């Protein structure tokens, strides 16, 4: 069976109506249409597959971008933390330098106070004041040792304090 296309039209010849018919073999056209349909199906399938691949790649890219942003944020937080540590280290060095100079000043004050005490008689009223100066220079020296330890990054030694005793000593 051969597929055909029929076109018919009425024409008049010598006053007599006649039917003019054209028949055309459309086998090639049908084969071409079927080939185009199969090619379109294959193309649609490939487009669908490629679209799925691109969607998956896009999701992976979004996840990678989110990870990078998190890593950048963590890196920024670490940089801020490092800067703070560097500031604290600088403060420690500065405290150590100041503590050294302050220690020299306290040593001079303590030396002069001891020199003055030795030159006063036993019952002199100034002896108590000089003893207080020596006590305060000792407390200052303790503070200097703590600052120096911080400047040297030495471990801090914790100890129990009697607050009542400290308050009594401060008066």
């Amino acid at each position: 069976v051969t597929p055909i296309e029929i076109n018919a039209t009425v024409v008049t010849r010598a006053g007599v109506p006649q039917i003019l018919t054209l028949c055309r073999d459309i086998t090639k056209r049908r084969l071409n249409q079927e080939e185009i349909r199969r090619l379109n199906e294959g193309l649609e399938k490939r487009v669908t597959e490629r679209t799925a691949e691109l969607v998956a790649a896009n999701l992976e890219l979004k996840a990678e971008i989110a990870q990078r942003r998190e890593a950048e944020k963590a890196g920024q937080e670490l940089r801020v933390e490092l800067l703070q540590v560097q500031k604290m280290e600088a403060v420690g060095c500065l405290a150590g330098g100041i503590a050294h100079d302050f220690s020299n000043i306290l040593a001079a004050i303590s030396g002069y106070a001891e020199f003055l005490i030795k030159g006063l008689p036993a019952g002199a009223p100034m002896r108590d004041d000089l003893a207080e100066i020596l006590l305060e220079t000792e407390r200052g020296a303790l503070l200097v040792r703590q600052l120096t330890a911080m400047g040297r990054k030495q471990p801090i030694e914790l100890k129990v304090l009697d607050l009542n005793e400290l308050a009594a000593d401060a008066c």
Side-chain angles (χ1 to χ4, degrees):
V1 175
T2 304
I4 59 171
E5 177 183 71
I6 300 173
N7 285 323
T9 186
V10 177
V11 292
T12 306
R13 274 183 141 197
V16 177
Q18 298 178 347
I19 297 177
L20 177 63
T21 306
L22 291 171
C23 295
R24 194 176 310 170
D25 182 359
I26 59 168
T27 304
K28 268 186 150 178
R29 184 190 309 166
R30 290 245 173 112
L31 290 173
N32 287 343
Q33 286 175 341
E34 182 60 27
E35 179 66 19
I36 288 171
R37 187 189 60 74
R38 275 183 281 148
L39 287 172
N40 278 341
E41 285 176 1
L43 184 59
E44 286 175 6
K45 182 180 175 185
R46 286 188 5 215
V47 166
T48 301
E49 290 170 353
R50 186 65 179 141
T51 300
E53 290 172 4
L54 290 173
V55 166
N58 191 30
L59 289 175
E60 287 179 25
L61 186 58
K62 284 180 179 180
E64 185 177 324
I65 288 170
Q67 287 175 344
R68 283 187 182 179
R69 284 183 178 157
E70 284 297 317
E72 287 174 5
K73 182 180 175 183
Q76 181 63 27
E77 289 171 359
L78 285 174
R79 282 189 287 277
V80 167
E81 195 174 312
L82 175 63
L83 183 61
Q84 185 63 28
V85 166
Q86 288 173 334
K87 286 179 184 177
M88 291 305 293
E89 187 176 344
V91 167
C93 288
L94 180 63
I98 291 171
H100 178 73
D101 291 345
F102 190 59
S103 177
N104 291 342
I105 293 169
L106 286 175
I109 292 170
S110 178
Y112 284 122
E114 286 178 8
F115 175 75
L116 289 172
I117 283 179
K118 287 181 183 175
L120 290 176
M126 292 280 291
R127 284 182 75 88
D128 289 340
D129 292 336
L130 291 171
E132 188 63 31
I133 290 172
L134 287 173
L135 178 65
E136 293 303 321
T137 56
E138 265 310 303
R139 291 174 71 178
L142 175 64
L143 179 63
V144 165
R145 284 192 294 276
Q146 290 171 347
L147 287 172
T148 305
M150 186 176 83
R152 288 191 211 124
K153 299 178 194 161
Q154 293 177 341
I156 297 173
E157 181 182 326
L158 301 176
K159 65 179 182 177
V160 178
L161 294 176
D162 182 354
L163 295 179
N164 291 330
E165 184 179 322
L166 287 175
D169 286 348
C171 296

